[in-house]
Amino acid sequence: MDDRSQKLRTFFASFIAGHRDKRIEAAFAAVPREPFAGPGPWSLMSNAFVYVAAPDDDPAFLYQDALLALDAERGINIGMPSAHAMWLDAAGVKEGDAVLQVGAGTGYYSAILAELVGPNGRVEAYEIDTGLAACATENLRDRPQVKVHALSGIADQLPKVDLVYVCAGITQPSRSWLNALRPGGRLVFPLQPEQASGGMLMITRPNSGPHWPARFLMRAQFIGCQGPQDEDASRRLREAFAGRWDQVRSFRVDPVDDETCWFAGDGWWLSTQDAAWNAGMEVADGVKFIACS
């Protein structure tokens, strides 16, 4: 990439992430957006939630804090950079970490993750759309710590990792994501009703116990996962997000819900009460969802 692209990228990284961990800023400064966006002119999402086409292929249009369309008809985008900077900062990605990404698209945030985990870490990037997965494989060919899987990220026997980072909305967490987490690992995913706004939820796996620390990082809306969605859960999530979503403090897999229950799913629930790190049953061999009473 030329000097102008580097200058744009450096300012862009400082603009969206300069107040966060400097490693986040450095990662955004290191990864050019041009290969992942494809040839211009490009379309970006405006504040009115409509796509606006850039007048030409000047790369300055790529370095905006906005959704960047990969397929406007299907609503597939490279997500808003400042939001991802915030979520990755909250997730605390470290050098040497193993990360499982669900919904890699053309690989832009896979490349950001690769910068954060470094050469001794690894990124397992899952993308169910074969065309996008092929683009991601090509775009990431010079990053040996990234492996692209042209598969659904909702599957059994996923690799054990320190972070599961999901870029597609869903009405419930996949137990395969939870079981992939090492103790202390984080799941960051958009819990949302179908075709509606939800929230980016971070769940941290403790050493033991049915109560896991959890909190919403911010409101969010993604294209939906091609996976287990639930119409009734969608309706109830819309109602729940009208209330105290910002007070959620724990994810629970025991059978008791009480007045602290913000939302009850199929064998799991979110509570406004803090997690009890060492209470209850061992979960080292896998999450066992139990229906709430």
Side-chain angles (χ1 to χ4, degrees), residues 33 39-58 60-73 75-77:
R33 288 167 70 82
W42 308 277
S43 293
L44 292 90
M45 183 74 77
S46 74
N47 290 339
F49 301 105
V50 295
Y51 289 110
V52 177
D56 56 40
D57 61 358
D58 186 332
F61 295 113
L62 287 178
Y63 293 98
Q64 308 294 320
D65 190 22
L67 296 176
L68 176 65
L70 294 174
D71 186 331
E73 278 194 18
I76 299 174
N77 308 294

Side-chain angles (χ1 to χ4, degrees), residues 27 31 88 93 99-101 108-118 122-123 145-146 163 165:
V31 179
L88 292 171
V93 189
V99 178
L100 191 156
Q101 183 193 15
Y108 177 65
Y109 288 110
S110 311
I112 298 291
L113 285 163
E115 290 291 324
L116 292 172
V117 303
R122 61 185 171 89
V123 178
Q145 68 271 55
V146 183
L163 171 66
Y165 192 67

Side-chain angles (χ1 to χ4, degrees), residues 96-237:
D97 275 356
V99 178
L100 191 156
Q101 183 193 15
V102 179
T106 58
Y108 177 65
Y109 288 110
S110 311
I112 298 291
L113 285 163
E115 290 291 324
L116 292 172
V117 303
N120 295 321
R122 61 185 171 89
V123 178
E124 306 286 346
Y126 285 74
E127 175 51 59
I128 196 171
D129 183 292
T130 55
L132 293 175
C135 289
T137 300
E138 174 64 20
N139 291 335
L140 297 163
R141 67 187 185 281
D142 295 330
R143 298 179 184 273
Q145 68 271 55
V146 183
K147 182 177 181 180
V148 178
H149 305 262
L151 299 167
S152 170
I154 301 176
D156 293 330
Q157 305 303 316
L158 293 174
K160 293 293 186 181
V161 294
D162 303 290
L163 171 66
V164 177
Y165 192 67
V166 182
C167 299
I170 196 164
T171 55
Q172 61 183 15
S174 168
R175 72 184 65 193
S176 64
W177 300 339
L178 296 160
N179 288 335
L181 294 176
R182 297 167 175 160
R186 288 83 59 209
L187 166 62
V188 177
F189 78 104
L191 179 68
Q192 67 181 53
E194 293 185 84
Q195 300 181 332
S197 175
M200 203 67 163
L201 182 65
M202 183 168 74
I203 301 171
T204 302
R205 181 171 187 153
N207 292 325
S208 65
H211 300 172
W212 299 20
R215 64 187 175 96
F216 282 106
L217 302 176
M218 63 182 291
R219 295 299 299 270
Q221 183 174 350
F222 279 73
I223 189 170
C225 267
Q226 295 184 37
Q229 306 280 6
D230 185 290
E231 186 175 337
D232 178 64
S234 281
R235 175 187 58 77
R236 293 187 299 107
L237 276 170

